[in-house]
Amino acid sequence: MKSPFPGMDPYLESPEFWPDFHSRFINSWCEAIADLLPDGYEASLDERVTLMESPSPQAWESGNQKHAIPDIAISQRAVLAATETKAASAAAIEPVTIPLVIDSEETETYIKILHGPERSLITVIEIPSPTNKVDIGYGDYHSKRTALLRQRVHLVDLDLLVGGRRVQTARPLPVGDYFALVARANRYPNADVYAWKIRDPLPTICIPLKPVDQDLLIDLAKVFETAYARGRYVRRLRYGSVPAIPLAAEDLAWCAERAGR
């Protein structure tokens, strides 16, 4: 069965389902690209491991960004002793049990388009996860994005999350809930940005190859449909609740109506 939404399903942004959906979508996208690539190219999945700082139990939220607050406490009890000739004071420090902030590893899967027998890197295709859109992870992701463009590699960045920070741009992004950025190596630092709202279908976007070859046109709606069906999300998602994403009240009401609440 298909999703009840015409485009991206906002219920997939839940932390319970996003990692699974991310994997299924990027696999389906890689297959769709591979089917259209001309001779001499290949589409490959790759992974990178990033150290992420886990928030403490007293992490607080500001908008969609989580910030860890150091949880440190020291208690002192002053023990006073007096004698007839002099007075002295001593401080006894007692230990307090506190949780540590422990770094965790996150594996990020992305698509590489390679060319020729030397398998030179032509295009990198990414879908940022929630950890790529908050303070520490955002800075790291932005640095990797910039490094790729400076290596004369095309970058396609598909943001299917309403929450979190957006890509940095010199001018404001167009109005939208979702964005696809296509940054061509030969046009750096300029990039093409696709923007659409939650009520809109996913667009068809260009995937750049070498300058002598035509762009691929990938219908993201079909990629989503394949990933959604393979994940059997119509039976798994909790459509009885309101999606916990930062949308206007009227859009949240529309989501609830589409989900059949």
Side-chain angles (χ1 to χ4, degrees):
M1 294 180 64
K2 294 184 178 181
S3 167
F5 294 90
M8 178 60 187
D9 190 321
Y11 289 83
L12 288 166
E13 195 161 334
S14 164
E16 300 172 79
F17 297 103
W18 174 261
D20 182 79
F21 170 73
H22 184 281
S23 296
R24 294 183 190 276
F25 188 94
I26 208 158
N27 273 277
S28 300
W29 198 3
C30 187
E31 291 175 6
I33 290 170
D35 287 343
L36 296 178
L37 281 174
D39 292 342
Y41 287 93
E42 62 177 286
S44 174
L45 292 173
D46 206 346
E47 294 180 343
R48 69 170 68 95
V49 177
T50 304
L51 277 179
M52 302 301 300
E53 185 180 89
S54 301
S56 74
Q58 290 186 347
W60 58 278
E61 292 192 3
S62 172
N64 298 303
Q65 304 174 42
K66 292 188 176 179
H67 306 262
I69 301 175
D71 187 5
I72 299 173
I74 297 177
S75 68
Q76 292 185 327
R77 185 179 9 175
V79 180
L80 302 177
T83 64
E84 294 182 356
T85 57
K86 68 176 182 177
S89 63
I93 300 177
E94 297 180 349
V96 176
T97 302
I98 60 175
L100 298 177
V101 176
I102 302 173
D103 288 341
S104 60
E105 290 186 349
E106 178 172 288
T107 301
E108 299 173 331
T109 305
Y110 60 97
I111 302 170
K112 299 189 303 185
I113 297 180
L114 309 169
H115 182 265
E118 70 281 4
R119 305 182 79 235
S120 56
L121 182 60
I122 305 300
T123 308
V124 169
I125 300 170
E126 304 254 17
I127 304 176
S129 292
T131 49
N132 300 132
K133 300 186 69 180
V134 295
D135 287 343
I136 298 174
Y138 178 84
D140 185 54
Y141 188 73
H142 176 71
S143 297
K144 291 173 182 174
R145 182 192 292 126
T146 303
L148 279 171
L149 291 171
R150 287 177 175 168
Q151 294 173 27
R152 313 296 292 177
V153 173
H154 304 309
L155 174 67
V156 178
D157 185 290
L158 177 62
D159 189 350
L160 293 177
L161 294 165
V162 175
R165 296 175 65 183
R166 301 296 187 186
V167 61
Q168 289 183 345
T169 53
R171 294 200 305 268
L173 289 167
V175 176
D177 297 314
Y178 304 106
F179 298 88
L181 177 145
V182 179
R184 301 172 188 272
N186 57 326
R187 292 183 58 202
Y188 177 80
N190 295 318
D192 297 325
V193 177
Y194 301 78
W196 65 100
K197 301 287 286 183
I198 195 165
R199 306 187 191 208
D200 300 328
L202 277 75
T204 295
I205 67 171
C206 297
I207 306 295
L209 303 175
K210 291 175 70 68
V212 295
D213 295 310
Q214 290 186 346
D215 293 348
L216 301 183
L217 293 178
I218 301 296
D219 185 346
L220 295 179
K222 290 184 177 179
V223 175
F224 176 86
E225 185 177 331
T226 299
Y228 187 91
R230 289 177 177 175
R232 294 169 175 79
Y233 295 115
V234 74
R235 300 185 307 193
R236 298 167 58 194
L237 294 176
R238 296 189 177 94
Y239 285 124
S241 61
V242 177
I245 52 178
L247 285 174
E250 58 269 25
D251 285 331
L252 285 175
W254 176 83
C255 289
E257 182 181 354
R258 295 288 305 194
R261 293 182 70 245

